[in-house]
Amino acid sequence: MSSQLFSPLQIKSITLKNRITISPMCQYSAQDGFANDWHLVHLGSRATGGAGLIIQEATAVSPEGRISPGDLGLWKDEQIEKMQQINQFIISQKSVPGIQLAHAGRKASAAAPWEGGRKLDDSQGGWNTVAPSAVAYHDNEKTPIALDKTGIEKVISDFKSSTKRAVQAGFQVLEIHAAHGYLLHQFLSPLSNFRTDTYGGSFENRIRLTLEVVDAVQSEWPENLPLFVRISATDWAEGGWNAEESVQLSKILKEKGVDLIDVSSGGLVSHQQIPLGPNYQVPFAESIKRETGIGTGAVGLITEATQAEEIIASGKADLVLFARESLRNPNLGLKFAEELQADIQWPKQYERAKIK
Ligand SMILES: Cc1cc2nc3c(=O)[nH]c(=O)nc-3n(C[C@H](O)[C@H](O)[C@H](O)COP(=O)(O)O)c2cc1C
């Protein structure tokens, strides 16, 4: 039987040539949010490597929403041009360029991992962070400022303006980052949201900001282009956001017109207990898909062609996202096609290396 991993997938007006997706990965290599040649080569080489969809790293909707000073951003028009160039290259390789829009909330203002990843104070170029509640990720960190209504409205309008720029930059898929303990996830989880207003307490209140951000994004994002939301399906911690709430939220997002849930997990609290292993997050993607009918993406310790093929062929997810394996091997699409005996088109410049 022909490979399901290499079967095309149409979502709205976009057809992905296969189900191999490059997961968003911070490169901590931007200056003032601007993309540069590193991003062109990093993303471009994964396009020549055969992936169907390439999602650009968490791209901040405001300077204070960056995880690190090296994050990409789309908070001003000047940041559009280089991304547009990168996207044109990705499209020339018959791949699809996507973007993940993000706000890091209380996890902002940190050093790059290779500089220790610790919180930056003002003297190190850090900034004040914001969150649903004035509670830090680590006890020894500077306390974030709890967002008031005006601050919440700014976050929503920042997502809207960045979406407008993402359209201008030529992205064809947009993913809202509501996972990994960043701002939207901080609102979703009772372990970081202690608000007593309409944004805290009940499930309906905790999901409110995510839904308002989806509305704001949809007001700018073309109806015929795919919209994804990445969530952490569980906090892996007692009393936290959980799998049932993820199903409930996914149902609501589907009704709003979101096309796909990119299903990750964790990142909200330091005492999380994650049972790491191959496919460890796949059951969440599977249950969200089964119980709501929305498309899902599976991610996390998926490294083999046959492993990814099984996830798609058994209907557990519609896309498989690869992060670290794609850093080890940018030519993931070309290699997996060979392993699964799928006949795909190689870049003509590389054809002499194709094993026939
Ligand atoms: C270098 C690096 C940067 C990452 N940056 C992001 C990011 O910007 N946004 C995001 O949602 N996840 C990010 N992640 C998480 C990955 O997208 C992915 O969910 C995770 O690594 C698990 O997949 P893997 O086992 O294939 O690596 C990053 C992971 C790595 C290794």
Side-chain angles (χ1 to χ4, degrees):
M1 208 180 79
S2 61
S3 163
Q4 296 303 297
L5 187 64
F6 283 90
S7 63
L9 176 67
Q10 181 166 359
I11 311 177
K12 293 182 174 155
S13 67
I14 296 297
T15 302
L16 306 176
K17 65 183 172 188
N18 60 49
R19 313 305 182 93
I20 297 172
T21 300
I22 304 302
S23 203
M25 277 181 282
C26 289
Q27 299 296 295
Y28 312 98
S29 300
Q31 271 185 355
D32 191 30
F34 281 78
N36 56 46
D37 284 351
W38 176 265
H39 304 93
L40 170 67
V41 173
H42 166 67
L43 298 165
S45 56
R46 280 147 191 84
T48 55
L53 170 63
I54 297 173
I55 306 182
Q56 176 174 293
E57 69 185 66
T59 301
V61 298
S62 60
E64 65 277 12
R66 289 174 295 173
I67 301 164
S68 81
D71 287 21
L72 286 178
L74 262 184
W75 64 82
K76 52 184 170 187
D77 291 346
E78 294 75 17
Q79 290 159 334
I80 296 171
E81 192 182 347
K82 186 71 182 182
M83 292 184 196
Q84 198 172 37
Q85 185 203 347
I86 296 171
N87 291 340
Q88 279 165 2
F89 180 77
I90 292 173
I91 291 168
S92 78
Q93 298 306 304
K94 302 192 169 52
S95 184
V96 170
I99 183 170
Q100 184 183 57
L101 285 184
H103 189 305
R106 70 178 183 178
K107 287 175 93 176
S109 188
W114 57 81
E115 283 163 2
R118 275 185 298 278
K119 280 276 177 197
L120 297 170
D121 60 32
D122 297 349
S123 70
Q124 298 164 312
W127 56 89
N128 290 329
T129 64
V130 297
S133 305
V135 179
Y137 179 78
H138 280 302
D139 292 344
N140 58 357
E141 283 173 9
K142 194 169 164 186
T143 309
I145 299 161
L147 284 167
D148 59 13
K149 187 75 178 100
T150 313
I152 288 178
E153 274 158 17
K154 180 180 181 304
V155 168
I156 295 168
S157 86
D158 287 341
F159 269 94
K160 180 176 158 76
S161 315
S162 296
T163 301
K164 190 172 180 186
R165 297 188 187 101
V167 176
Q168 289 166 1
F171 289 101
Q172 297 179 324
V173 170
L174 190 146
E175 172 168 286
I176 297 169
H177 199 349
H180 301 169
Y182 297 117
L183 186 66
L184 297 180
H185 186 186
Q186 289 159 29
F187 272 82
L188 294 176
S189 175
L191 296 180
S192 46
N193 181 343
F194 305 100
R195 299 177 75 94
T196 52
D197 64 359
T198 54
Y199 289 91
S202 65
F203 171 78
E204 284 70 27
N205 284 354
R206 284 181 282 117
I207 67 170
R208 189 177 309 282
L209 179 60
T210 297
L211 300 187
E212 288 177 351
V213 165
V214 169
D215 287 340
V217 166
Q218 284 176 321
S219 71
E220 296 291 345
W221 188 242
E223 256 177 59
N224 65 345
L225 291 180
L227 178 61
F228 297 2
V229 177
R230 175 168 267 201
I231 62 168
S232 281
T234 172
D235 288 342
W236 298 115
E238 190 73 29
W241 177 260
N242 59 43
E244 294 91 88
E245 288 180 312
S246 291
V247 169
Q248 281 307 109
L249 173 62
S250 301
K251 213 173 269 175
I252 296 166
L253 292 173
K254 180 171 193 272
E255 281 159 17
K256 288 181 96 59
V258 170
D259 301 290
L260 183 136
I261 307 295
D262 175 2
V263 187
S264 190
S265 72
L268 187 92
V269 287
S270 55
H271 62 272
Q272 62 187 4
Q273 297 283 338
I274 307 186
L276 283 175
N279 284 11
Y280 74 106
Q281 294 173 149
V282 176
F284 299 118
E286 182 185 8
S287 64
I288 288 173
K289 188 171 163 62
R290 192 183 53 237
E291 291 183 40
T292 72
I294 199 166
T296 57
V299 65
L301 290 174
I302 304 168
T303 55
E304 308 279 343
T306 49
Q307 184 187 4
E309 175 68 22
E310 189 279 332
I311 291 167
I312 301 296
S314 62
K316 296 186 175 94
D318 301 278
L319 295 178
V320 178
L321 292 95
F322 299 87
R324 288 163 292 181
E325 191 56 27
S326 84
L327 296 184
R328 289 184 277 263
N329 180 8
N331 290 335
L332 214 59
L334 308 183
K335 178 170 174 269
F336 283 4
E338 198 180 295
E339 284 178 33
L340 297 172
Q341 294 176 345
D343 188 22
I344 62 156
Q345 209 183 341
W346 278 43
K348 58 182 182 302
Q349 295 89 339
Y350 292 178
E351 268 174 359
R352 284 173 65 186
K354 188 175 178 182
I355 298 164
K356 305 229 184 221

